[in-house]
Amino acid sequence: RMKSLGSGIYETYTRLKGGEPFYFVDSRAETHAVYSLSAEGLLNEGGSSTVASDGVYNVVVDFEAGSSSIMLVTKIGFFFSPTNEVLFELPYVGGGIFKATAQTVTFKQEGWGRDERYKFRMFVKENGGSGADREYEWGTLNQTDSRPNAGSPESYYYVKLIKGASQWDDKWKLMGEFDGVAADYTLFLTADKPYTHSISK
């Protein structure tokens, strides 16, 4: 399944095998159209495509423009703003989901209190994995500067892709109960709901 990003534009985060053909269909019905990607970034009717190496890929197709793009996701990590570093990686577990289990984040003590700000850093290679290394971020869709609580809306955790990287922009805050406590960190880049994340014990 692919997520709709707008009129005729769809994307997916999925695992592909190097040298193994893949293609897209416009329906699960017995009769359907088949599409493939060209090396020039075009969306072709018929045929199939391949990638050079095994990995997790982001694929975007634009049926109105007849274009496509594909990039290799080499790593997604939990970025801790107070120390300006990735503390741990969220491995891909399938279905557009990246998850790190039993990871501990200890808030940074500052003169004014405990700092718990975070987001997610994504490392990619564009052009199907042959392009330059880039750093993107998954940050907050709905700007916030407060800690969540058990009654916070689901939208607090919604994410958006930012093509670039910074230390402090577009961050969230962890609940106080996660200070120094092992928890699971999950990023959902799936077609069936808004892109979001969760933190749970």
Side-chain angles (χ1 to χ4, degrees):
R1 296 180 61 184
M2 302 186 79
K3 185 175 185 64
S4 174
L5 299 183
S7 181
I9 304 174
Y10 297 87
E11 81 168 344
T12 185
Y13 285 83
T14 189
R15 192 184 306 277
L16 298 172
K17 292 185 177 182
E20 185 171 303
F22 67 92
Y23 56 88
F24 303 91
V25 297
D26 64 352
S27 170
R28 293 186 178 183
E30 185 175 346
T31 301
H32 54 256
V34 173
Y35 298 90
S36 60
L37 314 180
S38 77
E40 296 77 25
L42 300 177
L43 183 63
N44 295 328
E45 190 165 356
S48 63
S49 309
T50 61
V51 291
S53 59
D54 295 0
V56 177
Y57 289 83
N58 166 250
V59 183
V60 179
V61 295
D62 186 335
F63 287 96
E64 290 192 358
S67 63
S68 65
S69 68
I70 181 168
M71 64 182 180
L72 174 65
V73 178
T74 58
K75 180 174 71 172
I76 294 182
F78 177 90
F79 182 83
F80 194 51
S81 295
T83 58
N84 196 27
E85 63 181 334
V86 172
L87 297 187
F88 52 84
E89 185 176 348
L90 281 73
Y92 184 70
V93 297
I97 299 172
F98 300 78
K99 183 175 184 178
T101 58
Q103 294 293 328
T104 301
V105 177
T106 300
F107 299 178
K108 187 174 186 290
Q109 184 64 48
E110 302 287 3
W112 45 263
R114 305 283 283 172
D115 197 341
E116 71 285 65
R117 289 173 283 184
Y118 73 96
K119 49 191 171 179
F120 301 95
R121 184 70 56 86
M122 182 167 74
F123 300 83
V124 305
K125 285 181 175 289
E126 298 178 329
N127 299 325
S130 64
D133 291 306
R134 304 280 187 193
E135 292 185 21
Y136 293 168
E137 287 185 339
W138 290 100
T140 178
L141 177 65
N142 303 303
Q143 294 294 323
T144 180
D145 197 40
S146 61
R147 285 184 180 178
N149 56 52
S152 295
E154 292 182 0
S155 58
Y156 179 91
Y157 297 96
Y158 288 177
V159 305
K160 68 176 179 181
L161 181 64
I162 301 148
K163 294 191 174 182
S166 70
Q167 183 173 0
W168 300 108
D169 296 341
D170 304 293
K171 80 289 177 259
W172 296 272
K173 291 185 175 182
L174 289 166
M175 279 195 264
E177 65 187 76
F178 292 110
D179 188 1
V181 176
D184 295 343
Y185 294 76
T186 310
L187 182 62
F188 299 92
L189 305 180
T190 62
D192 58 346
K193 62 182 177 180
Y195 286 169
T196 188
H197 75 286
S198 70
I199 301 168
S200 59
K201 296 180 183 177

